[in-house]
Amino acid sequence: MTNEASAQETATLGGGCFWCLEPLYEELIGVSQVVSGYAGGHVPNPTYEQVCAKTTGHAEVIQVTFDPAVVSFREILEVFFTSHDPTTPNRQGNDVGPQYRSVILYHDEEQKRVSEEMIRDYAPQIWDAPIVTELVPLDTFYVAESYHQNYYRDNGFQPYCLFVIRPKVSKFRKQWQAKLKAS
């Protein structure tokens, strides 16, 4: 019998503000955990303020723990490429800066291979401009401060949540209805 924990995989993705990606993946079947954090930079243990100052090199990212027997890494990336704009360097809407860049931080060679295929073959079918998503190996993931975790769920009536995140969540739910957890 397989140990359930050993069947889990992790994906690390940055597509703008981590508050925008986190609620999408939390609703996806096969996903057991989503953690907001920072990765891809050169400063150990960065704080939100340091990352926002644009001097750490880190991106706001999420780490998604999922069961590949239920949802594949390819499907994780399909959600990624349909939920943010991978054609705008260092920007998602009004969120501007290197911390908002589109990035896949792969955990192994198979994730790298699938990511390369998705950047080359899948994303250009959705987006008319060149894909600028960075593909880099994950070095270290730093968990963001506790108030960033489950931000949309805990702050759904905050203006940013109402006007930026809620429309993304609504679009995601329509597009991925067959792959959502039962509510």
Side-chain angles (χ1 to χ4, degrees), residues 151-163 166:
Y151 191 84
Y152 179 69
R153 188 174 2 161
D154 295 343
N155 301 280
F157 291 103
Q158 189 257 12
Y160 187 87
C161 293
L162 287 172
F163 298 110
R166 182 175 285 174

Side-chain angles (χ1 to χ4, degrees), residues 25-90:
Y25 287 96
E26 287 177 338
E27 294 188 12
L28 197 61
I29 60 168
V31 171
S32 59
Q33 183 178 27
V34 182
V35 178
S36 291
Y38 316 108
H42 57 273
V43 173
N45 300 306
T47 65
Y48 181 67
E49 290 74 20
Q50 289 174 315
V51 172
C52 288
K54 305 173 187 169
T55 59
T56 68
H58 290 288
E60 289 189 16
V61 299
I62 57 167
Q63 265 200 341
V64 180
T65 304
F66 63 100
D67 180 346
V70 178
V71 60
S72 69
F73 181 65
R74 183 174 302 280
E75 289 171 307
I76 295 288
L77 292 182
E78 287 175 8
V79 170
F80 176 70
F81 283 116
T82 58
S83 63
H84 84 291
D85 183 348
T87 69
T88 55
N90 299 327

Side-chain angles (χ1 to χ4, degrees), residues 98-172:
Q99 72 271 31
Y100 300 119
R101 67 188 179 270
S102 178
V103 61
I104 301 168
L105 298 113
Y106 60 88
H107 291 243
D108 57 35
E109 288 303 310
E110 179 62 10
Q111 283 191 1
K112 180 182 180 186
R113 184 191 66 73
V114 172
S115 299
E116 288 170 338
E117 286 178 9
M118 295 295 283
I119 290 168
R120 182 186 66 237
D121 300 332
Y122 180 78
Q125 295 176 30
I126 302 167
W127 299 95
D128 291 331
I131 305 303
V132 298
T133 302
E134 292 179 13
L135 179 59
V136 295
L138 177 67
D139 181 16
T140 305
F141 172 79
Y142 298 99
V143 176
E145 296 81 353
S146 62
Y147 67 92
H148 291 296
Q149 310 305 324
N150 306 306
Y151 191 84
Y152 179 69
R153 188 174 2 161
D154 295 343
N155 301 280
F157 291 103
Q158 189 257 12
Y160 187 87
C161 293
L162 287 172
F163 298 110
V164 177
I165 302 173
R166 182 175 285 174
K168 284 180 178 265
V169 170
S170 293
K171 177 183 173 190
F172 167 77

